[in-house]
Amino acid sequence: MKFRNFKMVGFVIYGRGSFNQLDEILAPHRKGEAPMIFLVDHFFENGAATGDGKPLINRIPLRGKDKVIFADVTYEPKTTQVDKLAKQLKDEFGTVSGIIGIGGGSTIDLAKAVSLMMTNPGSSADYQGWDLVKLPGVYKVGIPTLSGTGAEVSRTTVLTGPTRKLGMNSDFTPFDQIVLDPELTANAPANQRFYTGMDCYIHCIESLEGTYLNEFSKSYGEKALELCREVFVNKKQWDAECDDKLMMASYAGGMSIAYSQVGVAHAVSYGLSYLLGTKHGIGNCIVMNHLEPYYPAGVAEFKKMVEQNNIDIPVGICKGLTDEQFDTMINVSLGMKPLWENALGKDWEKIMTREKLRALYEKL
Ligand code: NAD
Ligand code: ZN
């Protein structure tokens, strides 16, 4: 097919306090006794509150055999973690009515993947790639508590597997429902909010500067960029309006890359994450700091935002690595062909040589 015909999220609810409608939203999707499974970011395990001051965990509309499972997101999602969760649920319940992921991008991705692995045979590692998933998963809902990744709208779930870090990209991956309630992001620490928010900013720069750009991507990308600037450049003090705006920036940024691709920062950061376990948001920031040759205006603005928001970006994280380790990162990174092609065009392999990429990694 010449034009990509992509599947989008089924239903979207947006607004402060919209989380309170969750019970009503889920009701028509309950299948007899089969429970709803709430996969909740472990940040909320000890009663952490959201913007309305109440512990999130007390606001989950549990019924019948419904279950809360806390997602350990100390490390980003792994295929082994997904397989284990899906097996646990199949052993305990046979089938479930749905999976509701509540948390940052890692928890959101886990929820998508576990939903798919409730119905697809084998291991989630078998489905890392493009359009390998064959069956719809169980009903799934995404409820972000951090804004920026766009994972709430994307058709992928990024997993680290035995041989690679790659998403389960498929038409079955997008959520059936998302609940965008900016109140849930209110208590995020400033550094984390910035790193995840910059994921959105970087998605926009990579999409808008990329060769895959069309008017669809451009329209969403420009809006997301404008919202990022409003919160990270124009605002002196973080407030509720910033949470509202950043949540919509994440949504629009995700829509922008749905029809284009990310670029150099992501391709390089995937290598860091694979070898060193560097988290997505901070990894992108570490790389972006050194990408003047590729995105001069975006990097200058990025540096201004870092300074203005008083954020620490680590340096020297590749110091002392062996040749073999550099090679591993280079292999992972160069394996992200669509990202490089979007960033540098059809001849990207002539432009981004192994030597050039090694020199870039050495700077980080
Ligand atoms: P995250 O989900 O990894 O969470 C980062 C930290 O913040 C964790 O310790 C978490 O417990 C904590 N946290 C979550 N909500 C919080 C809140 N409200 N207040 C305080 N702390 C909170 O961070 P992220 O940046 O949202 O997500 C990164 C993940 O998203 C990566 O795994 C990445 O691969 C994935 N991702 C997926 C897509 C996609 O399209 N599927 C796109 C981009 C990134
Ligand atoms: Zn990203």
Side-chain angles (χ1 to χ4, degrees):
M1 230 191 280
K2 185 168 175 229
F3 295 100
R4 288 187 45 213
N5 182 15
F6 62 86
K7 170 79 176 61
M8 295 187 5
V9 165
F11 286 84
V12 182
I13 184 167
Y14 172 86
R16 305 197 138 250
S18 57
F19 184 78
N20 296 333
Q21 273 170 243
L22 189 55
D23 195 24
E24 236 176 289
I25 292 170
L26 299 180
H29 301 281
R30 292 184 176 278
K31 296 198 173 85
E33 296 277 281
M36 288 288 177
I37 306 301
F38 298 86
L39 197 55
V40 181
D41 197 306
H42 67 170
F43 172 74
F44 295 101
E45 191 164 3
N46 296 319
T50 48
D52 72 346
K54 296 187 196 129
L56 177 82
I57 204 66
N58 297 350
R59 301 174 58 200
I60 294 178
L62 294 174
R63 293 191 175 266
K65 289 194 283 175
D66 285 2
K67 181 169 182 159
V68 171
I69 298 179
F70 289 103
D72 182 353
V73 293
T74 313
Y75 305 102
E76 293 188 343
K78 293 190 172 66
T79 52
T80 46
Q81 190 183 7
V82 170
D83 294 350
K84 198 169 149 213
L85 279 166
K87 181 173 183 309
Q88 178 191 335
L89 293 175
K90 282 189 260 185
D91 288 349
E92 189 172 350
F93 300 110
T95 181
V96 302
S97 286
I99 309 277
I100 298 101
I102 308 174
S106 296
T107 307
I108 297 274
D109 271 3
L110 268 179
K112 288 188 197 177
V114 172
S115 154
L116 294 172
M117 293 318 294
M118 290 304 290
T119 52
N120 285 277
S123 161
S124 49
D126 304 338
Y127 302 103
Q128 285 182 283
W130 278 267
D131 301 305
L132 302 172
V133 181
K134 293 289 175 286
L135 299 168
V138 298
Y139 175 71
K140 51 183 165 340
V141 181
I143 310 181
T145 64
L146 286 173
S147 295
T149 65
E152 63 279 19
V153 291
S154 78
R155 83 188 284 280
T156 188
T157 157
V158 185
L159 302 176
T160 303
T163 55
R164 61 205 149 184
K165 183 179 176 189
L166 188 60
M168 293 165 80
N169 287 268
S170 84
D171 285 347
F172 300 117
T173 310
F175 283 113
D176 297 296
Q177 168 84 54
I178 56 175
V179 177
L180 303 179
D181 182 344
E183 228 169 51
L184 304 186
T185 65
N187 295 342
N191 265 334
Q192 183 62 57
R193 191 167 58 200
F194 186 84
Y195 299 143
T196 304
M198 279 304 112
D199 192 18
C200 176
Y201 178 82
I202 294 169
H203 288 160
C204 295
I205 300 296
E206 291 178 318
S207 171
L208 292 169
E209 302 286 323
T211 60
Y212 289 0
L213 190 68
N214 64 11
E215 200 56 48
F216 183 101
S217 289
K218 190 165 168 239
S219 309
Y220 281 110
E222 284 175 349
K223 186 64 201 178
L225 199 56
E226 181 192 314
L227 290 165
C228 286
R229 286 181 178 139
E230 282 179 32
V231 303
F232 291 117
V233 181
N234 302 343
K235 275 274 181 181
K236 297 287 166 270
Q237 184 83 40
W238 195 270
D239 58 17
E241 201 188 1
C242 295
D243 285 316
D244 293 354
K245 288 189 168 163
L246 194 56
M247 191 158 267
M248 284 319 298
S250 177
Y251 178 92
M255 289 299 292
S256 175
I257 44 171
Y259 225 124
S260 59
Q261 237 325 334
V262 285
V264 181
H266 275 74
V268 177
S269 139
Y270 268 74
L272 291 179
S273 154
Y274 186 82
L275 183 79
L276 305 172
T278 315
K279 290 202 153 204
H280 188 77
I282 197 169
N284 285 344
C285 289
I286 292 170
V287 179
M288 191 67 175
N289 228 358
H290 298 275
L291 293 188
E292 282 94 347
Y294 305 97
Y295 307 115
V299 173
E301 188 169 54
F302 167 78
K303 289 189 168 173
K304 192 169 130 197
M305 291 188 286
V306 169
E307 202 189 310
Q308 200 170 313
N309 292 272
N310 218 355
I311 304 294
D312 309 310
I313 306 288
V315 289
I317 67 161
C318 290
K319 236 187 218 137
L321 294 182
T322 63
D323 286 345
E324 200 186 337
Q325 287 175 312
F326 277 112
D327 277 341
T328 301
M329 291 195 292
I330 292 167
N331 292 342
V332 169
S333 178
L334 292 180
M336 313 298 298
K337 294 185 181 3
L339 281 65
W340 288 111
E341 188 182 283
N342 174 48
L344 305 174
K346 292 246 178 277
D347 285 337
W348 67 268
E349 276 161 305
K350 289 188 196 129
I351 304 168
M352 186 43 78
T353 57
R354 293 185 74 88
E355 295 67 40
K356 218 164 168 181
L357 188 51
R358 162 94 188 225
L360 176 54
Y361 273 122
E362 280 178 5
K363 279 200 221 160
L364 305 179

Short mmCIF file of all heavy atoms in Angstrom, two decimals, residues 148-150 158 196 198-200 202-203 206 257 262 266 269-270 280-281 284, ligand 2:
data_model
loop_
_atom_site.label_atom_id
_atom_site.label_comp_id
_atom_site.label_asym_id
_atom_site.label_seq_id
_atom_site.Cartn_x
_atom_site.Cartn_y
_atom_site.Cartn_z
N GLY A 148 4.36 12.90 27.84
CA GLY A 148 5.46 13.14 26.92
C GLY A 148 5.76 12.03 25.94
O GLY A 148 6.10 12.29 24.79
N THR A 149 5.61 10.77 26.37
CA THR A 149 6.05 9.69 25.47
C THR A 149 5.17 9.52 24.25
O THR A 149 5.63 9.06 23.20
CB THR A 149 6.07 8.32 26.19
OG1 THR A 149 4.73 7.97 26.54
CG2 THR A 149 6.93 8.34 27.43
N GLY A 150 3.88 9.86 24.37
CA GLY A 150 2.95 9.60 23.27
C GLY A 150 2.57 8.13 23.20
O GLY A 150 1.82 7.70 22.32
N VAL A 158 7.22 -0.61 23.38
CA VAL A 158 8.67 -0.81 23.28
C VAL A 158 9.15 -1.80 24.35
O VAL A 158 8.96 -1.56 25.55
CB VAL A 158 9.42 0.54 23.42
CG1 VAL A 158 10.91 0.34 23.20
CG2 VAL A 158 8.86 1.57 22.46
N THR A 196 10.60 13.28 30.60
CA THR A 196 9.51 12.69 29.81
C THR A 196 8.91 13.75 28.88
O THR A 196 8.59 13.45 27.72
CB THR A 196 8.43 12.09 30.75
OG1 THR A 196 9.06 11.14 31.60
CG2 THR A 196 7.34 11.38 29.98
N MET A 198 10.53 16.18 27.53
CA MET A 198 11.48 16.36 26.41
C MET A 198 11.37 15.25 25.39
O MET A 198 11.72 15.43 24.23
CB MET A 198 12.92 16.44 26.93
CG MET A 198 13.31 17.79 27.46
SD MET A 198 13.06 19.13 26.26
CE MET A 198 11.74 20.00 27.04
N ASP A 199 10.88 14.07 25.81
CA ASP A 199 10.64 13.01 24.83
C ASP A 199 9.69 13.56 23.77
O ASP A 199 9.90 13.39 22.56
CB ASP A 199 10.06 11.78 25.53
CG ASP A 199 10.06 10.54 24.67
OD1 ASP A 199 10.81 10.52 23.67
OD2 ASP A 199 9.32 9.60 24.97
N CYS A 200 8.66 14.27 24.23
CA CYS A 200 7.70 14.86 23.30
C CYS A 200 8.36 15.94 22.44
O CYS A 200 8.21 15.94 21.22
CB CYS A 200 6.53 15.46 24.10
SG CYS A 200 5.34 16.32 23.06
N ILE A 202 11.43 16.26 21.63
CA ILE A 202 12.37 15.63 20.68
C ILE A 202 11.60 14.90 19.57
O ILE A 202 11.98 14.95 18.40
CB ILE A 202 13.37 14.73 21.45
CG1 ILE A 202 14.26 15.61 22.34
CG2 ILE A 202 14.22 13.89 20.49
CD1 ILE A 202 15.11 14.85 23.36
N HIS A 203 10.48 14.24 19.92
CA HIS A 203 9.64 13.63 18.87
C HIS A 203 9.27 14.68 17.83
O HIS A 203 9.31 14.43 16.62
CB HIS A 203 8.32 13.09 19.45
CG HIS A 203 8.48 11.86 20.28
ND1 HIS A 203 7.55 11.44 21.19
CD2 HIS A 203 9.48 10.94 20.33
CE1 HIS A 203 7.95 10.33 21.77
NE2 HIS A 203 9.12 10.01 21.27
N GLU A 206 12.31 15.78 15.68
CA GLU A 206 12.70 14.70 14.76
C GLU A 206 11.67 14.51 13.65
O GLU A 206 12.01 14.20 12.51
CB GLU A 206 12.89 13.40 15.54
CG GLU A 206 14.10 13.45 16.45
CD GLU A 206 14.28 12.19 17.28
OE1 GLU A 206 13.27 11.68 17.79
OE2 GLU A 206 15.41 11.72 17.41
N ILE A 257 4.18 11.52 15.13
CA ILE A 257 5.09 10.45 14.69
C ILE A 257 4.34 9.23 14.17
O ILE A 257 4.94 8.36 13.54
CB ILE A 257 6.15 10.02 15.72
CG1 ILE A 257 5.56 9.88 17.11
CG2 ILE A 257 7.34 10.93 15.71
CD1 ILE A 257 6.51 9.25 18.09
N VAL A 262 10.63 8.94 14.31
CA VAL A 262 11.59 9.71 15.09
C VAL A 262 12.93 9.70 14.35
O VAL A 262 13.00 9.26 13.19
CB VAL A 262 11.69 9.17 16.55
CG1 VAL A 262 10.48 9.58 17.35
CG2 VAL A 262 11.88 7.67 16.57
N HIS A 266 16.65 9.45 18.98
CA HIS A 266 16.09 8.16 19.38
C HIS A 266 16.98 6.99 18.94
O HIS A 266 17.19 6.05 19.69
CB HIS A 266 14.67 7.99 18.83
CG HIS A 266 13.63 8.61 19.71
ND1 HIS A 266 13.46 9.97 19.76
CD2 HIS A 266 12.75 8.08 20.59
CE1 HIS A 266 12.49 10.23 20.63
NE2 HIS A 266 12.04 9.10 21.15
N SER A 269 19.90 6.92 21.27
CA SER A 269 19.50 6.64 22.64
C SER A 269 19.08 5.18 22.85
O SER A 269 19.27 4.61 23.93
CB SER A 269 18.42 7.65 23.04
OG SER A 269 17.39 7.10 23.75
N TYR A 270 18.54 4.56 21.82
CA TYR A 270 18.19 3.13 21.91
C TYR A 270 19.43 2.29 22.21
O TYR A 270 19.37 1.31 22.94
CB TYR A 270 17.55 2.65 20.61
CG TYR A 270 16.04 2.74 20.61
CD1 TYR A 270 15.40 3.95 20.49
CD2 TYR A 270 15.26 1.60 20.74
CE1 TYR A 270 14.02 4.06 20.50
CE2 TYR A 270 13.88 1.67 20.75
CZ TYR A 270 13.26 2.91 20.63
OH TYR A 270 11.90 2.99 20.65
N HIS A 280 14.55 5.96 28.72
CA HIS A 280 14.22 6.62 27.46
C HIS A 280 14.31 8.16 27.51
O HIS A 280 15.00 8.77 26.70
CB HIS A 280 12.82 6.18 27.04
CG HIS A 280 12.43 6.61 25.69
ND1 HIS A 280 12.89 6.00 24.56
CD2 HIS A 280 11.62 7.62 25.26
CE1 HIS A 280 12.38 6.60 23.49
NE2 HIS A 280 11.60 7.58 23.90
N GLY A 281 13.60 8.76 28.47
CA GLY A 281 13.54 10.23 28.52
C GLY A 281 14.90 10.84 28.75
O GLY A 281 15.35 11.71 27.98
N ASN A 284 17.37 10.26 25.79
CA ASN A 284 17.16 11.18 24.68
C ASN A 284 17.78 12.54 24.97
O ASN A 284 18.35 13.17 24.09
CB ASN A 284 15.66 11.38 24.42
CG ASN A 284 15.03 10.20 23.73
OD1 ASN A 284 15.72 9.36 23.18
ND2 ASN A 284 13.72 10.14 23.76
ZN ZN B 2 10.50 8.78 22.51
#
